Amino acid sequence: MNELTLPEKIGQLFICGFHTLVPDEQIKTLIEQYHIGGVVYFRRNIATAQQLADLSYHLQEISKPQTDIPLFVSIDQEGGMVSRIDHEGFTRFPGSMSLGAANQLELTEKIASMAADELIQLGINLNFAPVVDVNNNAANPVIGVRSFGEDPHLVAEHGAAAIKGFQDKGVSATAKHFPGHGDTAVDSHLGLAVVPHSKERMYAIELPPFQKAIQEGVDMIMTAHVIFPAFESEEIPATLSYDVLTTLLRKELNFEGLIVTDCLEMHAISKSIGVAEGAVKSLQAGADLVLVSHTLEDQVAAIQAVLDAVQSGRITEERINESVSRILDLKNKRIGSITDKAPEIPVPLTPVDKVEPMLRQVAEQSITLVNDEARNLPLKKDVSTLTVWAEVRHFTEVDEPGVFRYTLVEALQPYLKAEEIIIGSHPTDEEIASVLERSVNYDQVVVVTYTSEGSLPSGQKLLIDKLYELTQGKLIVVSTRNPYDINEVPQVGTYLCAYENRPVTVDAIAKVLVGEVIPAGKLPVSLGSKYPAGTGASI
């Protein structure tokens, strides 16, 4: 560290994104001129496994002549519905709530370990996972199935298992979003949320998973752009709070690893004090790494603002040195030397016979039958069957439309003949009318919902209400994202939760529907008072 100039040390504090499949001028400028310490990948940076491995290698090659310090190469690869790598040749690992529903810690650790093996092959050494937020708010629009569940103990144990799985294979894990984003009804990508609970409640619910992560030796903890009045008297988010990051996390919880901000371009920061001032204040609060994911103008402004703050005395160079020292220590521990050339990447990254049985085990053990009061299961194989499939067609900061399509009607083909209608997750009036018109010709109707917001979209709710009437209650609903969908359509008498719509999960849904597999999953979250967490019905 003594050999680094002040701009080089400040550069080490930043992780930045860019927009291409190969190093472009944006990322070259950030590495060569601003000496950034890491990069972050999104779906936009990924085409094939070999391309991604080559990209990681070339970025490290660009960085090496600058400071001879390797880059953090990071990604949000949580599994399930938040997977930046979701292409053919890559393993589609299950998400946290599926693992929480299956509730087998050894499976959670093995899944993380296998995911880490793939990341290492791709040159990725830092994963912004696992999410250890306790999701106890049905209206939460941004966490939901990214959480293991609503029970702090379950979340803590599975979070620790995932951390061990990642880090034992050499990938730094990140527990997020400190001190807890689970009980919010606002998406911090779009606005500023408040968790108004007392310290006693925070220590009982939100903090135990982070305490367990610290005990497990997690390398990083990511901040939440959320206000916590229990710990901070000013109306500022945790990312900018000295009392949250230093007094609570460093001093009270004794965290010695790296504190990384969530992206400062999220509206909770960018639309309030701005990205540049956010970078300065987050470092003053105690953060070590600043994440700025998208825009070169914001990235450069943030780096320059920190340099100006040190030169003006707002931030001491000693404070910068503390963070740089932690960064270099972790890079020495996890990254090691960089290869002389990009490795040849096998396709698939993990042999199918090695990973497929485990994926199917998780999927089949996660499917949760919430109720079958209408006695619609198993499906009859000798009558006409219609499936209605809702698919995501719009991008958000969390959801990205999958590059695959495998629907329930395909999964049912080995067992019975069915026909399908595909609608958007926000169906149009024309789509709703088409489904209603056709549904009268079928004896069995299965609706597969997809909810990426805090509640079932109004179009899907209207469709289910109408179908319930037309079928005289003989309607089956399967949620493939948000388990809380039944809160919007409580009259439904047969309801299953699947937590994601990956092909292996869809196969498991089909097997449960036809009676080939007994649903073994238990609800990781409560669905109102009628269906408490930890329960599940039987056929």
mmCIF file of all heavy atoms in Angstrom, residues 8 25 29 45 68 107 112 133 144 159 196 226 232 251 258 274 307 314 321 324 333 350 388 398 404 427 438 486 530:
data_model
loop_
_atom_site.group_PDB
_atom_site.id
_atom_site.type_symbol
_atom_site.label_atom_id
_atom_site.label_comp_id
_atom_site.label_asym_id
_atom_site.label_seq_id
_atom_site.Cartn_x
_atom_site.Cartn_y
_atom_site.Cartn_z
ATOM 1 N N GLU A 8 -4.465 6.146 -6.802
ATOM 2 C CA GLU A 8 -4.503 4.695 -6.927
ATOM 3 C C GLU A 8 -5.201 4.047 -5.732
ATOM 4 O O GLU A 8 -5.956 3.079 -5.891
ATOM 5 C CB GLU A 8 -3.079 4.149 -7.072
ATOM 6 C CG GLU A 8 -2.455 4.457 -8.430
ATOM 7 C CD GLU A 8 -0.976 4.096 -8.493
ATOM 8 O OE1 GLU A 8 -0.336 3.957 -7.417
ATOM 9 O OE2 GLU A 8 -0.448 3.976 -9.615
ATOM 10 N N GLU A 25 -14.352 1.304 -23.989
ATOM 11 C CA GLU A 25 -13.621 2.489 -23.552
ATOM 12 C C GLU A 25 -14.003 2.886 -22.126
ATOM 13 O O GLU A 25 -13.174 3.398 -21.372
ATOM 14 C CB GLU A 25 -13.867 3.655 -24.517
ATOM 15 C CG GLU A 25 -13.133 3.527 -25.847
ATOM 16 C CD GLU A 25 -11.627 3.306 -25.649
ATOM 17 O OE1 GLU A 25 -10.996 4.083 -24.904
ATOM 18 O OE2 GLU A 25 -11.091 2.349 -26.230
ATOM 19 N N THR A 29 -11.061 3.063 -19.456
ATOM 20 C CA THR A 29 -10.786 4.355 -18.827
ATOM 21 C C THR A 29 -10.794 4.235 -17.308
ATOM 22 O O THR A 29 -9.907 4.752 -16.616
ATOM 23 C CB THR A 29 -11.833 5.386 -19.273
ATOM 24 O OG1 THR A 29 -11.733 5.587 -20.683
ATOM 25 C CG2 THR A 29 -11.636 6.715 -18.554
ATOM 26 N N ASN A 45 -23.259 -8.191 -20.031
ATOM 27 C CA ASN A 45 -21.850 -8.522 -20.250
ATOM 28 C C ASN A 45 -21.624 -9.983 -20.615
ATOM 29 O O ASN A 45 -20.469 -10.396 -20.771
ATOM 30 C CB ASN A 45 -21.026 -8.225 -18.985
ATOM 31 C CG ASN A 45 -21.118 -6.781 -18.542
ATOM 32 O OD1 ASN A 45 -21.607 -6.484 -17.464
ATOM 33 N ND2 ASN A 45 -20.649 -5.866 -19.380
ATOM 34 N N ASP A 68 -0.479 -3.608 -10.449
ATOM 35 C CA ASP A 68 -0.149 -5.012 -10.184
ATOM 36 C C ASP A 68 -1.020 -5.592 -9.070
ATOM 37 O O ASP A 68 -0.623 -6.510 -8.367
ATOM 38 C CB ASP A 68 1.335 -5.178 -9.831
ATOM 39 C CG ASP A 68 1.817 -6.605 -10.072
ATOM 40 O OD1 ASP A 68 1.243 -7.269 -10.951
ATOM 41 O OD2 ASP A 68 2.743 -7.059 -9.368
ATOM 42 N N LEU A 107 -27.846 -29.272 1.369
ATOM 43 C CA LEU A 107 -28.133 -28.940 -0.017
ATOM 44 C C LEU A 107 -27.773 -27.487 -0.312
ATOM 45 O O LEU A 107 -27.215 -27.178 -1.371
ATOM 46 C CB LEU A 107 -29.611 -29.179 -0.324
ATOM 47 C CG LEU A 107 -30.045 -30.629 -0.547
ATOM 48 C CD1 LEU A 107 -31.543 -30.698 -0.791
ATOM 49 C CD2 LEU A 107 -29.284 -31.260 -1.701
ATOM 50 N N ALA A 112 -24.198 -23.830 -3.265
ATOM 51 C CA ALA A 112 -23.267 -22.693 -3.274
ATOM 52 C C ALA A 112 -21.878 -23.139 -3.708
ATOM 53 O O ALA A 112 -21.185 -22.418 -4.440
ATOM 54 C CB ALA A 112 -23.221 -22.041 -1.894
ATOM 55 N N ASP A 133 -31.546 -11.123 4.200
ATOM 56 C CA ASP A 133 -32.687 -10.366 4.690
ATOM 57 C C ASP A 133 -33.789 -11.330 5.111
ATOM 58 O O ASP A 133 -34.011 -12.358 4.458
ATOM 59 C CB ASP A 133 -33.230 -9.441 3.589
ATOM 60 C CG ASP A 133 -32.207 -8.415 3.137
ATOM 61 O OD1 ASP A 133 -31.579 -7.789 4.005
ATOM 62 O OD2 ASP A 133 -32.020 -8.260 1.916
ATOM 63 N N GLY A 144 -38.478 -10.603 -1.288
ATOM 64 C CA GLY A 144 -39.324 -11.739 -1.614
ATOM 65 C C GLY A 144 -38.557 -13.049 -1.665
ATOM 66 O O GLY A 144 -37.900 -13.456 -0.709
ATOM 67 N N GLY A 159 -28.041 -18.957 5.292
ATOM 68 C CA GLY A 159 -27.064 -17.969 4.851
ATOM 69 C C GLY A 159 -25.650 -18.401 5.165
ATOM 70 O O GLY A 159 -24.746 -18.304 4.325
ATOM 71 N N PRO A 196 -39.095 0.952 10.658
ATOM 72 C CA PRO A 196 -39.291 1.787 11.842
ATOM 73 C C PRO A 196 -39.161 1.064 13.174
ATOM 74 O O PRO A 196 -39.457 1.642 14.214
ATOM 75 C CB PRO A 196 -40.736 2.271 11.645
ATOM 76 C CG PRO A 196 -41.415 1.126 10.963
ATOM 77 C CD PRO A 196 -40.370 0.515 10.059
ATOM 78 N N VAL A 226 -31.672 1.970 3.135
ATOM 79 C CA VAL A 226 -32.910 1.987 3.915
ATOM 80 C C VAL A 226 -32.649 2.744 5.221
ATOM 81 O O VAL A 226 -31.559 2.633 5.800
ATOM 82 C CB VAL A 226 -33.381 0.550 4.221
ATOM 83 C CG1 VAL A 226 -34.634 0.553 5.097
ATOM 84 C CG2 VAL A 226 -33.645 -0.218 2.927
ATOM 85 N N GLU A 232 -30.107 5.230 13.799
ATOM 86 C CA GLU A 232 -29.665 6.484 13.197
ATOM 87 C C GLU A 232 -30.738 7.540 13.402
ATOM 88 O O GLU A 232 -31.869 7.375 12.939
ATOM 89 C CB GLU A 232 -29.380 6.273 11.705
ATOM 90 C CG GLU A 232 -29.110 7.537 10.922
ATOM 91 C CD GLU A 232 -27.942 8.332 11.466
ATOM 92 O OE1 GLU A 232 -26.800 7.824 11.428
ATOM 93 O OE2 GLU A 232 -28.174 9.486 11.930
ATOM 94 N N LYS A 251 -18.279 -1.970 15.485
ATOM 95 C CA LYS A 251 -17.953 -1.989 16.910
ATOM 96 C C LYS A 251 -18.830 -2.957 17.700
ATOM 97 O O LYS A 251 -18.311 -3.748 18.498
ATOM 98 C CB LYS A 251 -18.053 -0.570 17.476
ATOM 99 C CG LYS A 251 -17.039 0.394 16.871
ATOM 100 C CD LYS A 251 -17.175 1.800 17.435
ATOM 101 C CE LYS A 251 -16.166 2.761 16.817
ATOM 102 N NZ LYS A 251 -16.305 4.156 17.333
ATOM 103 N N LEU A 258 -14.974 -6.609 4.768
ATOM 104 C CA LEU A 258 -15.208 -5.433 3.932
ATOM 105 C C LEU A 258 -16.679 -5.055 3.913
ATOM 106 O O LEU A 258 -17.549 -5.915 3.773
ATOM 107 C CB LEU A 258 -14.745 -5.701 2.498
ATOM 108 C CG LEU A 258 -13.233 -5.760 2.270
ATOM 109 C CD1 LEU A 258 -12.925 -6.221 0.861
ATOM 110 C CD2 LEU A 258 -12.604 -4.396 2.506
ATOM 111 N N GLY A 274 -27.301 12.360 -4.416
ATOM 112 C CA GLY A 274 -26.505 12.174 -5.618
ATOM 113 C C GLY A 274 -25.404 11.151 -5.434
ATOM 114 O O GLY A 274 -24.954 10.854 -4.319
ATOM 115 N N LEU A 307 -11.603 11.944 -4.090
ATOM 116 C CA LEU A 307 -10.270 12.557 -4.143
ATOM 117 C C LEU A 307 -10.318 13.987 -3.613
ATOM 118 O O LEU A 307 -9.470 14.395 -2.797
ATOM 119 C CB LEU A 307 -9.746 12.534 -5.575
ATOM 120 C CG LEU A 307 -8.373 13.173 -5.805
ATOM 121 C CD1 LEU A 307 -7.284 12.468 -4.994
ATOM 122 C CD2 LEU A 307 -8.020 13.153 -7.298
ATOM 123 N N ARG A 314 -11.993 16.624 4.231
ATOM 124 C CA ARG A 314 -13.265 16.030 4.679
ATOM 125 C C ARG A 314 -13.070 14.564 5.080
ATOM 126 O O ARG A 314 -13.723 14.055 5.982
ATOM 127 C CB ARG A 314 -14.321 16.108 3.572
ATOM 128 C CG ARG A 314 -14.893 17.479 3.326
ATOM 129 C CD ARG A 314 -16.007 17.408 2.277
ATOM 130 N NE ARG A 314 -17.187 16.701 2.768
ATOM 131 C CZ ARG A 314 -18.182 16.284 1.974
ATOM 132 N NH1 ARG A 314 -18.127 16.482 0.661
ATOM 133 N NH2 ARG A 314 -19.225 15.658 2.496
ATOM 134 N N ASN A 321 -6.663 4.628 3.934
ATOM 135 C CA ASN A 321 -5.710 3.535 4.111
ATOM 136 C C ASN A 321 -6.326 2.343 4.842
ATOM 137 O O ASN A 321 -5.988 1.187 4.550
ATOM 138 C CB ASN A 321 -4.484 4.024 4.888
ATOM 139 C CG ASN A 321 -3.623 4.986 4.093
ATOM 140 O OD1 ASN A 321 -3.769 5.091 2.871
ATOM 141 N ND2 ASN A 321 -2.744 5.703 4.764
ATOM 142 N N VAL A 324 -8.238 0.466 2.180
ATOM 143 C CA VAL A 324 -7.334 -0.137 1.198
ATOM 144 C C VAL A 324 -6.615 -1.334 1.807
ATOM 145 O O VAL A 324 -6.434 -2.369 1.156
ATOM 146 C CB VAL A 324 -6.335 0.905 0.664
ATOM 147 C CG1 VAL A 324 -5.303 0.242 -0.250
ATOM 148 C CG2 VAL A 324 -7.070 2.003 -0.100
ATOM 149 N N LYS A 333 -5.848 -12.952 -0.049
ATOM 150 C CA LYS A 333 -6.409 -14.195 0.485
ATOM 151 C C LYS A 333 -7.197 -14.969 -0.567
ATOM 152 O O LYS A 333 -7.080 -16.199 -0.656
ATOM 153 C CB LYS A 333 -7.326 -13.855 1.668
ATOM 154 C CG LYS A 333 -8.022 -15.049 2.295
ATOM 155 C CD LYS A 333 -8.927 -14.591 3.450
ATOM 156 C CE LYS A 333 -9.669 -15.749 4.089
ATOM 157 N NZ LYS A 333 -10.570 -15.301 5.186
ATOM 158 N N THR A 350 -20.503 -27.502 -15.597
ATOM 159 C CA THR A 350 -20.532 -28.627 -14.666
ATOM 160 C C THR A 350 -21.202 -29.799 -15.362
ATOM 161 O O THR A 350 -22.278 -29.624 -15.954
ATOM 162 C CB THR A 350 -21.327 -28.273 -13.396
ATOM 163 O OG1 THR A 350 -20.780 -27.081 -12.813
ATOM 164 C CG2 THR A 350 -21.244 -29.405 -12.380
ATOM 165 N N VAL A 388 -52.405 -22.033 -18.255
ATOM 166 C CA VAL A 388 -52.214 -20.613 -18.555
ATOM 167 C C VAL A 388 -50.909 -20.200 -17.918
ATOM 168 O O VAL A 388 -50.739 -20.296 -16.698
ATOM 169 C CB VAL A 388 -53.379 -19.757 -18.001
ATOM 170 C CG1 VAL A 388 -53.170 -18.296 -18.374
ATOM 171 C CG2 VAL A 388 -54.715 -20.270 -18.519
ATOM 172 N N VAL A 398 -34.092 -5.999 -10.770
ATOM 173 C CA VAL A 398 -33.966 -7.341 -10.203
ATOM 174 C C VAL A 398 -34.308 -8.391 -11.242
ATOM 175 O O VAL A 398 -33.552 -9.316 -11.491
ATOM 176 C CB VAL A 398 -34.869 -7.500 -8.960
ATOM 177 C CG1 VAL A 398 -34.823 -8.934 -8.447
ATOM 178 C CG2 VAL A 398 -34.420 -6.535 -7.862
ATOM 179 N N PHE A 404 -34.450 -18.455 -21.789
ATOM 180 C CA PHE A 404 -35.010 -19.762 -22.090
ATOM 181 C C PHE A 404 -36.528 -19.674 -21.989
ATOM 182 O O PHE A 404 -37.070 -18.773 -21.376
ATOM 183 C CB PHE A 404 -34.501 -20.812 -21.100
ATOM 184 C CG PHE A 404 -34.883 -20.502 -19.678
ATOM 185 C CD1 PHE A 404 -36.074 -20.956 -19.148
ATOM 186 C CD2 PHE A 404 -34.057 -19.729 -18.869
ATOM 187 C CE1 PHE A 404 -36.437 -20.658 -17.842
ATOM 188 C CE2 PHE A 404 -34.409 -19.431 -17.562
ATOM 189 C CZ PHE A 404 -35.608 -19.898 -17.063
ATOM 190 N N PRO A 427 -51.101 -9.098 -17.959
ATOM 191 C CA PRO A 427 -51.869 -9.434 -19.161
ATOM 192 C C PRO A 427 -52.758 -8.289 -19.627
ATOM 193 O O PRO A 427 -53.294 -7.516 -18.825
ATOM 194 C CB PRO A 427 -52.713 -10.631 -18.710
ATOM 195 C CG PRO A 427 -52.807 -10.509 -17.224
ATOM 196 C CD PRO A 427 -51.505 -9.921 -16.797
ATOM 197 N N ARG A 438 -61.586 -19.375 -24.260
ATOM 198 C CA ARG A 438 -61.129 -20.737 -24.552
ATOM 199 C C ARG A 438 -61.327 -21.682 -23.372
ATOM 200 O O ARG A 438 -61.488 -22.883 -23.552
ATOM 201 C CB ARG A 438 -59.647 -20.721 -24.949
ATOM 202 C CG ARG A 438 -59.394 -20.135 -26.328
ATOM 203 C CD ARG A 438 -57.926 -20.177 -26.683
ATOM 204 N NE ARG A 438 -57.383 -21.545 -26.621
ATOM 205 C CZ ARG A 438 -56.088 -21.840 -26.808
ATOM 206 N NH1 ARG A 438 -55.223 -20.857 -27.039
ATOM 207 N NH2 ARG A 438 -55.665 -23.087 -26.742
ATOM 208 N N ILE A 486 -51.641 -15.922 -3.196
ATOM 209 C CA ILE A 486 -52.933 -16.390 -2.692
ATOM 210 C C ILE A 486 -53.621 -15.340 -1.813
ATOM 211 O O ILE A 486 -54.845 -15.358 -1.655
ATOM 212 C CB ILE A 486 -52.781 -17.721 -1.909
ATOM 213 C CG1 ILE A 486 -54.167 -18.379 -1.730
ATOM 214 C CG2 ILE A 486 -52.078 -17.504 -0.584
ATOM 215 C CD1 ILE A 486 -54.126 -19.770 -1.159
ATOM 216 N N LYS A 530 -53.913 -17.910 7.936
ATOM 217 C CA LYS A 530 -54.435 -19.245 7.618
ATOM 218 C C LYS A 530 -53.338 -20.243 7.301
ATOM 219 O O LYS A 530 -53.457 -21.438 7.596
ATOM 220 C CB LYS A 530 -55.409 -19.149 6.439
ATOM 221 C CG LYS A 530 -56.145 -20.454 6.145
ATOM 222 C CD LYS A 530 -57.192 -20.250 5.062
ATOM 223 C CE LYS A 530 -57.945 -21.554 4.781
ATOM 224 N NZ LYS A 530 -58.975 -21.374 3.720
#
